[in-house]
Amino acid sequence: MSKYFGARAAVVDLDLKIPAGLCFAMLGPNGAGKTTGLRMIYGAARPSAGSVRVFGLDVARNPRAVRARLGVTLQENVLIEELSPVENLRVFGRYHRLPEKRLGARVEELIDWLDLRSHAEVPVAALSGGFQRRLAIALSLVNRPELLLLDEPTTGLDPAARQLLWARIRELRAAGTSIVLTTHYMEEAERLCDRVAILARGRCVCEGAPRELIAERLPREAVEVDCSAQDERRWFTAPGSPDRRIRTGERLIVYAERAAEVIERIRRSDGGELRPLVARPTNLEDVFLDATGTVLRESG
Ligand SMILES: Nc1ncnc2c1ncn2[C@@H]1O[C@H](COP(=O)(O)OP(=O)(O)O)[C@@H](O)[C@H]1O
Ligand SMILES: [Mg+2]
């Protein structure tokens, strides 16, 4: 599917099959097209070309049937500010036509599950960003959705709140809920998701299981070091030098099966002295770099 806003292409030829029962991430920097992609999945944006099927149904033709089985947490929280978390949950439950008795039990359950008990009766306007985010996610779960869509669920959260959400997302998945989330944190996707699609400028640059993408595209380890272009040439002229290298300003990343060999090569050509460097396993951010040739940075 594609989505254009006037002449601007937000999503171009996105063709994804998202398997049920898994956690799937749409990844990419700001402006990559993640939100637009997600909005097309739940029918809030109509594709300019192509179509979307959810639960085997064409979303454009069956918006209500699809949405009844969906939960969505938007990038910006949609909450009634003057009402408390409990009241927000009740309003949303009535919208979904939950019978009062079941609704009461469900609200209590969600308040505890997302750790909202201490502020359950406080107006939303007085809650911290972390509480509001957790409440927004609680709202999307009121109707026990089969598919949960989360647009940047953890952006701006402190580490403890992020850990809680990760744990909850894992629990949902273990209980059989399908999850599609967006994030610009590659690490988050690597930890949480079975499969990812990396978007850049509206296009999908690669798709697959994080471990597989990393293993298919790059050697196992990376060495990061600040150096000049002359340093780089001096270190890596000898035969057998690692040829998978990417430079962003002063920082050079060298990919190799064994980081220790790269470090030893650098140390030897520097006359035995070792400069500060970092050795680490190759990760999803490296895959993004490799696929787009650009550095992932928050912008705009
Ligand atoms: N309603 C809109 N009108 C015009 N341009 C839009 C609209 N929504 C998104 N865009 C543009 O589409 C591109 C993708 O946006 P978006 O899907 O929000 O990206 P992301 O969620 O990955 O940050 C951006 O260039 C953005 O400015
Ligand atoms: Mg977005």
Side-chain angles (χ1 to χ4, degrees), residues 5 8 10 29-36 75:
F5 295 104
R8 171 177 284 174
N30 289 337
K34 304 182 296 297
T35 295
T36 305
Q75 194 167 341

Side-chain angles (χ1 to χ4, degrees), residues 9-219:
V11 168
V12 185
D13 297 336
L14 188 61
D15 184 7
L16 295 177
K17 282 193 181 58
I18 300 179
L22 299 184
C23 184
F24 188 98
M26 286 200 276
L27 275 165
N30 289 337
K34 304 182 296 297
T35 295
T36 305
L38 213 60
R39 282 165 55 81
M40 288 194 281
I41 296 178
Y42 68 93
R46 233 171 219 274
S48 311
S51 64
V52 184
R53 295 179 80 79
V54 179
F55 312 125
L57 298 169
D58 185 319
V59 179
R61 292 212 191 104
N62 309 277
R64 288 194 66 85
V66 168
R67 274 188 220 170
R69 297 162 68 184
L70 275 187
V72 182
T73 299
L74 303 176
Q75 194 167 341
E76 305 293 335
N77 296 329
V78 181
L79 304 169
I80 307 172
E81 298 244 314
E82 48 284 6
L83 298 186
S84 70
V86 165
E87 291 162 335
N88 268 275
L89 284 160
R90 287 188 162 278
V91 168
F92 213 67
R94 289 192 195 108
Y95 165 80
H96 278 295
R97 305 208 172 111
L98 253 69
E100 279 302 310
K101 217 172 126 210
R102 263 197 26 230
L103 174 57
R106 184 66 178 147
V107 168
E108 290 304 300
E109 189 179 33
L110 286 169
I111 290 280
D112 284 330
W113 201 61
L114 283 160
D115 214 1
L116 295 161
R117 181 60 68 194
S118 63
H119 292 66
E121 313 284 349
V122 178
V124 163
L127 299 182
S128 71
F131 266 93
Q132 294 194 4
R133 199 64 184 142
R134 296 207 299 281
L135 174 57
I137 292 168
L139 289 177
S140 65
L141 290 168
V142 164
N143 61 332
R144 298 185 185 276
E146 292 161 60
L147 169 63
L148 180 64
L149 307 177
L150 300 169
D151 200 355
E152 297 197 19
T154 67
T155 297
L157 291 187
D158 67 47
R162 176 167 297 158
Q163 291 286 346
L164 174 77
L165 277 186
W166 286 355
R168 293 309 185 229
I169 290 169
R170 285 200 192 94
E171 284 175 50
L172 285 169
R173 182 195 170 284
T177 310
S178 309
I179 297 155
V180 179
L181 60 86
T182 74
T183 176
H184 51 232
Y185 303 118
M186 298 279 159
E187 186 213 349
E188 175 165 293
E190 206 173 319
R191 286 173 178 226
L192 215 53
C193 298
D194 304 284
R195 296 184 74 78
V196 302
I198 300 182
L199 309 189
R201 283 175 231 97
R203 290 176 190 277
C204 178
V205 294
C206 61
E207 198 244 319
R211 292 271 117 232
E212 284 167 22
L213 288 176
I214 295 166
E216 278 163 18
R217 299 186 77 112
L218 289 163

